[in-house]
Amino acid sequence: MANLKVDGQLIEVPDHYTLMQAAEAAGAEIPRFCYHERLSVAGNCRMCLVEVKGGPPKPQASCAMSVKDLRPGPNGEPPEMFTNTPMVKKAREGVMEFLLINHPLDCPICDQGGECDLQDQAMAYGVSGSRFAENKRAVEDKYMGPLIKTVMNRCIHCTRCVRFTTEVAGISELGLLGRGEDAEITPYLERALTSELQGNVIDLCPVGALTSKPYAFNARPWELTKTESIDVMDAVGSAIRVDSRGREVMRVLPRINEAINEEWISDKTRFIWDGLKSQRLDRPYVRKSGKLQAATWEEALAAVATKVKKAGSKVGAIAGDLAAVEEMYALKGLLASIGSGMTDVRPAMSGIDPSMPRSAYLFNPTIAGIEQADAILIIGANPRKEASLINARIRKTWRATNLPIAVIGEQADLTYAYDYLGSGFETLADLAAGKGAFAETLKNAKRPLIIVGEGAVSHADLGKQAGRDTIALAAKLATGANVEGDWNGFALLHNAASRVGGLDIGFVPHDGGVCSADQIALAGKGELDVLFLLGADEYDMSAMGKAFVVYIGSHGDKGAHRADVILPAATYTEKSGTYVNTEGRVQVTTRAVFPPGDAREDWAIIRALSGAIGKPLAYNSLAQLRAALYAEFPHLARIDEITPGSAAEIAKLGKAAIKTKSAPFVSLVTDFYLSNPIARASATMAECAQMAAGLRQAAE
């Protein structure tokens, strides 16, 4: 710790603090453009100048100078710095005048609409005119792909975007070329950026040089209603803010959550919003004479009720990737009332068994806990596609500690260096048997992190045993002799927001029920009469035979095309729903807008259906449903908390007998941008997918 005076106020701060951090600890506000707390220090803009007593007779950049660099007074007095002297004010005004030499000052038409640092700081340090009389420099706008719009005349070379893409996103495609007046921020090859996190540079840009291309000129910030919510595009559960106008979502922005997403979100999370209004199901449909025809709610519910009553207990239900806990709980209750236990939320032939403890399907070390790991093994997962923010957290840890990372499965570009061990189960078995150099690394690790992807535990062709054996071997590796007592390094990485919540409430086969793959097989054989698809689109619809399919969902995707009855439901921005992320954290979305047309919230549809069948569920409101849910599963009432799994349970799993000889490990997410019905309805995501596939790559 070190003592220093800030504007005459004596404070004590850690000696590794910068002068900027010390000033903020004392309550003084320091303007900045280039400095960002999550990026390396560049010291480019000089906006953060302060006066240091006893130092050189010129202001100092407070972002790049440390407290321990200050000299005490002649008699040992604490060093002093000033943030509000005439020297400092004059220096900052001069810096701002210099930075704005080439800025067009076109605030009324800038898409940042006052949300930039420049406007705030210009109020305090802007000058009415410029002493620069020469011609302004004109910089050609750059092509960065379908997501980022550039107005490079505004650029002040703060290099935030360059540092983010290089340090956090892990791509070397953006940089500063040229010198002096000819310096420009540009993609090196004039090609679209390839990172799944590139949209974050829009938030980082302090002057409006980089803005959102899909959102451009659609709305102004002051027109929008801001709703804090949770993202469901993957199982990470990023904190987001949904901005809406009327009944339309206009944009999605990140919220700071240090435990999960820090202050970043993936491009799919940020730019999905146009898919929320495309290809929507806004009225019920019933198939008559082979064609889907619009119907009233009464007709649609009556058609389903007739079939369910006739089917008896030969009814199944599969929950999709975006289903909330409430509707799964209601649907499970509906099927239980007719004597069916055929429910499933897992991918086809998943090795996650209902008999396994909760810790067997959680990311036990937590997302923030990745930074504590001293060795990482990734099995059958591609974190860059499945959970971009978890991948960014792994990269952050790798950059800070250079920890050893190994991969079994696909040899993909994960933005950090790793040892590639092999492609399948045989490699994992050898590693668990202590063979190879990385086995020694894991053996000596005190906090090993074993990340198991859904692609490693779900094998549609091989059956469930391969997945169970993969979990057992991973559990064995996670519980070595040198592992610290309070560390649980077994981490199952889910790629669907609904998965953990569904597993928590037992939306899995029970009371004689069968899994999703077997339900579809039974339907194909004519042994399952009615099949409910709760937003489930990632399955083989052609294999369902002549079964009566009821689709409860929001978009006209594969499930709706196959359905005999469509019951239009709400998306995650149109309802308050409980989700549990991959680490077991309970989260709740907030309704930002109302569903379109005659669409209703999913749980309300199922409640109405139960009444039509003649077996009404015991709740008539969301509050009553949640009261019943919390009574049965108390941990779901603890919002934003994790009920931890047990390391002892993981150790027990690792003792299971291994029967599998060989199995390939392939990620289940083949296309990052088109992984769910909302994404497939988005024109922006379609363009990004084409870019990623190499089908489009031309500058505007």
Side-chain angles (χ1 to χ4, degrees):
M1 302 295 283
N3 291 317
L4 80 155
K5 281 187 176 180
V6 179
D7 298 330
Q9 179 189 346
L10 184 64
I11 60 166
E12 188 179 31
V13 294
D15 60 0
H16 61 266
Y17 265 30
T18 61
L19 298 190
M20 182 182 286
Q21 289 170 308
E24 288 179 341
E29 192 173 332
I30 304 285
R32 81 287 306 262
F33 287 123
C34 71
Y35 177 80
H36 193 277
E37 49 273 13
R38 299 190 198 276
L39 305 174
S40 60
V41 175
N44 287 350
C45 73
R46 321 309 280 184
M47 196 66 206
C48 64
L49 294 172
V50 295
E51 184 179 347
V52 176
K53 189 175 180 179
K58 62 176 185 179
Q60 302 290 309
S62 60
C63 69
M65 191 171 187
S66 155
V67 168
K68 60 186 173 191
D69 295 332
L70 295 179
R71 290 185 296 180
N75 301 312
E77 300 98 334
E80 283 193 63
M81 60 177 282
F82 302 95
T83 67
N84 53 10
T85 60
M87 179 206 281
V88 171
K89 190 170 187 307
K90 185 181 177 185
R92 289 175 182 172
E93 286 172 353
V95 166
M96 180 160 278
E97 186 184 351
F98 172 73
L99 291 176
L100 298 184
I101 279 174
N102 291 298
H103 196 292
L105 302 176
D106 55 345
C107 294
I109 63 162
C110 176
D111 239 33
Q112 288 216 353
E115 294 180 314
C116 65
D117 299 335
L118 179 59
Q119 275 205 342
D120 293 341
Q121 294 178 34
M123 293 298 291
Y125 303 105
V127 291
S128 58
S130 174
R131 288 169 287 178
F132 186 78
E134 289 77 16
N135 293 329
K136 288 196 173 189
R137 182 174 69 121
V139 184
E140 190 177 319
D141 291 345
K142 311 300 179 193
Y143 176 73
M144 294 190 187
L147 303 178
I148 301 169
K149 177 181 175 225
T150 63
V151 188
M152 300 313 290
N153 284 332
R154 298 175 185 156
C155 179
I156 62 166
H157 300 170
C158 71
T159 67
R160 278 188 183 183
C161 54
V162 177
R163 283 175 285 150
F164 172 82
T165 53
T166 309
E167 295 165 15
V168 179
I171 59 168
S172 300
E173 297 168 1
L174 194 65
L176 187 138
L177 298 183
R179 299 182 67 180
E181 198 179 7
D182 298 322
E184 294 182 17
I185 300 285
T186 179
Y188 294 121
L189 303 174
E190 290 284 337
R191 293 170 70 91
L193 303 184
T194 58
S195 172
E196 296 79 12
L197 300 171
Q198 60 180 282
N200 291 291
V201 302
I202 296 165
D203 298 333
L204 286 173
C205 184
V207 292
L210 306 175
T211 54
S212 172
K213 193 177 281 186
Y215 172 73
F217 307 119
N218 277 2
R220 289 299 195 200
W222 53 87
E223 303 172 337
L224 304 177
T225 303
K226 294 133 177 106
T227 309
E228 293 188 353
S229 192
I230 300 296
D231 173 57
V232 299
M233 293 297 113
D234 50 30
V236 176
S238 303
I240 59 170
R241 193 187 86 194
V242 179
D243 287 1
S244 56
R245 184 175 63 191
R247 301 191 69 165
E248 192 177 347
V249 174
M250 302 303 293
R251 65 176 179 178
V252 175
L253 296 176
R255 289 188 292 121
I256 295 175
N257 188 326
E258 299 294 348
I260 302 173
N261 59 305
E262 298 181 291
E263 62 183 82
W264 320 123
I265 51 173
S266 74
D267 291 344
K268 188 162 52 175
T269 301
R270 184 184 295 271
F271 295 107
I272 200 79
W273 50 267
D274 65 322
L276 293 168
K277 53 195 173 193
S278 303
Q279 300 179 24
R280 287 302 301 270
L281 301 172
D282 59 357
R283 68 192 72 177
Y285 289 86
V286 177
R287 193 175 293 276
K288 298 175 183 175
S289 307
K291 289 186 177 180
L292 285 168
Q293 296 180 13
T296 64
W297 271 106
E298 289 75 17
E299 290 170 344
L301 292 174
V304 177
T306 304
K307 288 287 184 179
V308 171
K309 286 175 184 174
K310 196 182 291 184
S313 63
K314 291 194 290 186
V315 180
I318 302 173
D321 293 355
L322 307 180
V325 168
E326 285 83 356
E327 50 254 36
M328 287 190 281
Y329 182 73
L331 190 54
K332 182 188 173 190
L334 176 64
L335 263 68
S337 70
I338 58 176
S340 171
M342 293 199 194
T343 54
D344 207 0
V345 69
R346 304 167 299 171
M349 291 297 169
S350 173
I352 303 168
D353 196 272
S355 63
M356 288 179 175
R358 187 169 186 260
S359 48
Y361 59 81
L362 292 185
F363 199 97
N364 290 289
T366 72
I367 296 169
I370 293 170
E371 297 182 29
Q372 307 302 316
D374 55 3
I376 298 179
L377 173 66
I378 300 171
I379 305 167
N382 182 343
R384 185 170 174 181
K385 284 185 179 178
E386 294 175 31
S388 309
L389 292 156
I390 286 180
N391 197 65
R393 189 80 74 146
I394 296 172
R395 174 174 167 81
K396 177 185 176 183
T397 308
W398 171 76
R399 288 185 74 240
T401 64
N402 199 28
L403 81 171
I405 303 173
V407 169
I408 303 174
E410 293 177 57
Q411 197 169 359
D413 177 11
L414 298 180
T415 72
Y416 40 79
Y418 60 81
D419 296 326
Y420 183 67
L421 305 182
S423 62
F425 188 88
E426 308 94 308
T427 308
L428 179 60
D430 287 346
L431 193 66
K435 299 176 183 176
F438 201 79
E440 195 66 27
T441 302
L442 286 176
K443 185 181 173 184
N444 296 327
K446 292 181 178 178
R447 294 181 301 280
L449 174 56
I450 314 298
I451 298 176
V452 184
E454 282 194 340
V457 300
S458 305
H459 299 276
D461 301 329
L462 299 175
K464 300 166 191 171
Q465 190 61 46
R468 290 169 188 162
D469 288 347
T470 301
I471 290 172
L473 290 179
K476 184 180 177 183
L477 290 169
T479 52
N482 292 321
V483 176
E484 290 180 354
D486 59 344
W487 177 258
N488 185 349
F490 180 86
L492 195 71
L493 179 58
H494 294 279
N495 50 45
S498 63
R499 203 85 74 216
V500 177
L503 291 165
D504 273 0
I505 64 165
F507 200 87
V508 287
H510 58 278
D511 298 333
V514 296
C515 69
S516 56
D518 291 341
Q519 285 183 42
I520 293 170
L522 288 174
K525 294 175 189 172
E527 295 174 22
L528 191 71
D529 294 345
V530 179
L531 184 58
F532 284 95
L533 298 180
L534 188 58
D537 297 275
E538 317 306 323
Y539 295 87
D540 184 4
M541 302 296 163
S542 61
M544 294 177 185
K546 295 181 180 178
F548 188 83
V549 176
V550 182
Y551 183 76
I552 305 172
S554 60
H555 282 71
D557 209 77
K558 287 183 282 187
H561 285 276
R562 170 59 186 84
D564 295 289
V565 173
I566 294 173
L567 303 176
T571 64
Y572 70 105
T573 58
E574 297 160 2
K575 63 187 177 188
S576 175
T578 304
Y579 291 87
V580 187
N581 78 345
T582 192
E583 55 183 357
R585 187 184 301 274
V586 181
Q587 301 175 301
V588 178
T589 61
T590 309
R591 183 167 63 196
V593 293
F594 287 90
D598 289 334
R600 299 287 183 266
E601 290 186 40
D602 309 59
W603 75 267
I605 296 171
I606 297 162
R607 171 62 184 86
L609 185 57
S610 71
I613 293 168
K615 297 183 183 287
L617 295 169
Y619 32 79
N620 296 313
S621 68
L622 184 59
Q624 289 175 358
L625 187 158
R626 282 181 172 162
L629 177 67
Y630 297 159
E632 194 170 346
F633 306 101
H635 75 280
L636 293 175
R638 296 191 281 274
I639 308 301
D640 205 35
E641 288 184 24
I642 300 172
T643 303
S646 163
E649 291 172 345
I650 298 295
K652 196 174 176 182
L653 282 173
K655 294 173 182 173
I658 306 301
K659 300 173 185 174
T660 306
K661 300 294 183 203
S662 124
F665 292 157
V666 181
S667 173
L668 297 185
V669 180
T670 52
D671 191 329
F672 169 77
Y673 296 104
L674 303 176
S675 61
N676 62 58
I678 305 175
R680 289 190 284 270
S682 164
T684 305
M685 292 296 102
E687 197 172 345
C688 289
Q690 287 181 322
M691 287 284 185
L695 301 175
R696 293 182 59 177
Q697 187 58 77
E700 295 173 324

